[in-house]
Amino acid sequence: MANVSVYNMKGETVGTLELNDAVFGVEVNEHLVHMAVVAQLANKRQGTQSARTRSEVSGGGKKPWRQKGTGHARQGSTRAPQWTGGGVVFAPKPRDYSIRLNKKEKRLALKSALTSRVNEGKFIVVDEIVMNEIKTKNFKAMLDALKVNKALVVLDNNDQTVVKSARNIEGVKTALTNTINVYDILKYNTVVTTKAAVATIEEVYA
């Protein structure tokens, strides 16, 4: 089992924590991680873009000139794609971009992402994150003490004092244990989490 140092909010080492290999020590499956990221980004797409085809634009009912004898190329409608104001060829239409992964694939992808962060030394455990007031400066001071700038901060409870203190810091995002995902874990350089959050993650995913 991997052991990681546990820090306090001042960046001081206060102990160590043994991580469960069933969650933080799996064999990293890069293919599944890639699939999970692609699926998440695809599922964010609204799929509402739309343009009109030649059958949907108004006008163009009459043939602009006779078939032969004018010297022009033959034309059947002024709303054909080559005309100004004409329809779009193969116009985009509302569609569903969503990609589905089964439950086992999602779990293994998340474990692989967490394991990769532990292996890279970019998984920092804090004994607890407690703030008496909503103060961005105090939260930034904690990150500076931990020598972290771009971070995903995982909390075990929805403490609005902590969440609101962090939300104005560029490159920092807070998440609960039930909302963490592969994309965010990989997007941010470091995962900062509390001991309680680690325990919850191990309980759910082990």
Side-chain angles (χ1 to χ4, degrees), residues 28-114:
V28 177
N29 189 323
E30 292 183 2
H31 175 62
L32 270 185
V33 171
H34 175 260
M35 284 176 58
V37 171
V38 169
Q40 186 172 341
L41 293 177
N43 295 345
K44 281 184 176 181
R45 298 183 69 176
Q46 288 184 311
T48 55
Q49 76 278 37
S50 183
R52 293 180 179 182
T53 63
R54 62 182 296 171
S55 66
E56 294 170 320
V57 289
S58 61
K62 182 183 177 184
K63 189 174 172 66
W65 49 74
R66 66 179 191 270
Q67 182 81 346
K68 292 176 178 292
T70 64
H72 294 300
R74 56 195 174 189
Q75 301 290 332
S77 169
T78 57
R79 290 299 175 259
Q82 72 270 21
W83 286 72
T84 300
V88 178
V89 182
F90 305 128
K93 290 295 175 188
R95 55 168 286 195
D96 181 13
Y97 287 96
S98 63
I99 298 173
R100 287 181 61 85
L101 294 180
N102 65 44
K103 195 177 291 185
K104 283 185 178 180
E105 289 174 329
K106 288 179 184 176
R107 290 172 71 93
L108 184 53
L110 186 67
K111 290 178 184 181
S112 293
L114 290 170

Side-chain angles (χ1 to χ4, degrees), residues 121-139:
K122 295 181 178 178
F123 189 84
I124 296 176
V125 180
V126 182
D127 57 351
E128 59 178 355
I129 300 176
V130 178
M131 308 203 75
N132 298 323
E133 57 180 338
I134 299 170
K135 200 78 172 175
T136 302
K137 185 168 70 173
N138 294 347
F139 197 93

Side-chain angles (χ1 to χ4, degrees), residues 1 11 13-14 30 34 39 44-45 47 83 112 119 122 126 132 134 158 165 168 172 176 178 180 182 186 197 203:
M1 288 190 175
T13 305
V14 294
E30 292 183 2
H34 175 260
K44 281 184 176 181
R45 298 183 69 176
W83 286 72
S112 293
N119 293 343
K122 295 181 178 178
V126 182
N132 298 323
I134 299 170
N158 192 16
S165 296
N168 282 339
V172 174
L176 296 176
N178 61 347
I180 55 173
V182 174
L186 299 181
E203 184 181 340

